[in-house]
Amino acid sequence: MSRHTPRTGVRRYVNAVNLGGLLIAVCATLPLLWMASASLKGPGEISATPPTPLPKDPTLGNYETAFARNGIGHYFLNSVVVACLSTLLILSLAFFAGYALARLPLRGRGAVMTALLMLSVFPPIALLVPLFLMERQAGLLNSYPGLVIPYVALNLPFAVWIMRNYLSGIPGELEEAAVIDGAGPLRTALTVILPLARPGLFTVGVFSFTATWSEFLLALTFNGSDDRRTVSVGIALFTSQYQVPYGVIFAGAMVATVPIALLVLIFRRSVVSGMTTGAVKG
């Protein structure tokens, strides 16, 4: 006769959670593996029936076409400039705004946090037409600032929300000790709080970079010139009226995926730490 102890039940629960996480990881990884495999196939093998999981005759021709003929390298550089500038501005503004909301005795703090949460889920497509008219009048179309400014504005509310929740978890005694030592508010924020806020900053940085890197609608609308086109728009325009070069598209998608994969791989622990702290303190 088997005896079920509480420890056995906990073990089964943990095993079920691990199995569920493994299945989710497999489902998320399979499309990436298929894309990587298809980027190494020739046109005939990509359209073969039944499809082959691995390329029988691997080739780098799709990557050569993406870089030499389709200008994926130029689009990649544009995305790097736009995403990096946007992320740096978001990090700077979110840190000081989050620090003010976490520490200063502000009236209506709850209303501000509620407004930030509502703005963070506001659909950008609702602002597409007025933003386009404003940028055309200001002469910002087909330029880096024409994308950086709306990217910062749209991603800043969520960034401030995360930073405020994370900074609220840092003990206030550290700032009091810095004030006793003669440090002013700005010096205290930069020398005491900023080093402790790195996990929260990494979380904001990864989410902001990912959002600006993969954004499509605003980049397509505001940048009609090929000189300032980002990688997401450039890949979408690989197709022609009579042909869809799937291999070249898969190769370009692989190139566009590399920065995001590296960010997640390098900063995964900091991102998890920043998100869990924000969830507990929010």
Side-chain angles (χ1 to χ4, degrees):
M1 182 177 179
S2 60
R3 301 176 63 184
H4 297 280
T5 62
R7 182 176 299 178
T8 303
V10 171
R11 186 177 302 171
R12 290 180 178 178
Y13 175 77
V14 171
N15 292 337
V17 171
N18 291 335
L19 180 60
L22 179 61
L23 292 176
I24 294 175
V26 170
C27 293
T29 306
L30 281 179
L32 297 177
L33 296 178
W34 184 266
M35 182 173 64
S37 174
S39 68
L40 299 174
K41 296 179 180 179
E45 191 175 358
I46 288 180
S47 58
T49 305
T52 56
L54 297 176
K56 296 180 180 179
D57 187 16
T59 176
L60 294 177
N62 294 324
Y63 290 90
E64 294 176 0
T65 302
F67 278 95
R69 298 182 184 179
N70 296 77
I72 188 67
H74 180 68
Y75 302 147
F76 186 91
L77 180 61
N78 288 337
S79 290
V80 169
V81 173
V82 171
C84 288
L85 288 177
S86 302
T87 302
L88 289 176
L89 287 174
I90 292 171
L91 286 175
S92 302
L93 296 174
F95 172 75
F96 288 105
Y99 182 70
L101 288 172
R103 289 293 189 263
L104 299 182
L106 301 176
R107 293 183 179 180
R109 181 182 305 174
V112 172
M113 295 300 297
T114 302
L116 289 175
L117 186 60
M118 295 175 61
L119 289 172
S120 64
V121 297
F122 195 82
I125 192 173
L127 303 174
L128 186 62
V129 174
L131 282 176
F132 177 82
L133 296 177
M134 292 171 61
E135 294 216 351
R136 185 177 65 178
Q137 186 175 4
L140 294 176
L141 296 178
N142 301 316
S143 66
Y144 290 141
L147 284 181
V148 171
I149 293 174
Y151 283 172
V152 172
L154 291 173
N155 291 283
L156 189 58
F158 181 66
V160 174
W161 175 273
I162 292 180
M163 286 308 305
R164 184 265 175 186
N165 291 339
Y166 188 86
L167 293 174
S168 297
I170 298 178
E173 290 79 4
L174 299 175
E175 298 163 90
E176 296 174 1
V179 172
I180 294 176
D181 292 338
L186 182 60
R187 183 181 176 184
T188 300
L190 295 178
T191 60
V192 178
I193 303 302
L194 183 60
L196 299 176
R198 287 179 181 176
L201 291 172
F202 286 147
T203 303
V204 171
V206 170
F207 276 93
S208 301
F209 187 90
T210 302
T212 54
W213 180 270
S214 59
E215 200 282 325
F216 178 79
L217 186 59
L218 298 184
L220 177 65
T221 305
F222 297 160
N223 282 351
S225 172
D226 193 66
D227 293 337
R228 292 293 182 263
R229 193 163 285 158
T230 57
V231 68
S232 58
V233 178
I235 294 174
L237 298 180
F238 281 0
T239 60
S240 62
Q241 184 177 359
Y242 303 102
Q243 184 184 12
V244 180
Y246 292 106
V248 181
I249 293 175
F250 283 132
M254 283 300 301
V255 173
T257 305
V258 169
I260 304 301
L262 291 178
L263 277 178
V264 174
L265 182 64
I266 296 173
F267 299 115
R268 62 187 186 280
R269 294 184 178 178
S270 298
V271 170
V272 172
S273 174
M275 287 298 295
T276 53
T277 303
V280 172
K281 296 296 179 180

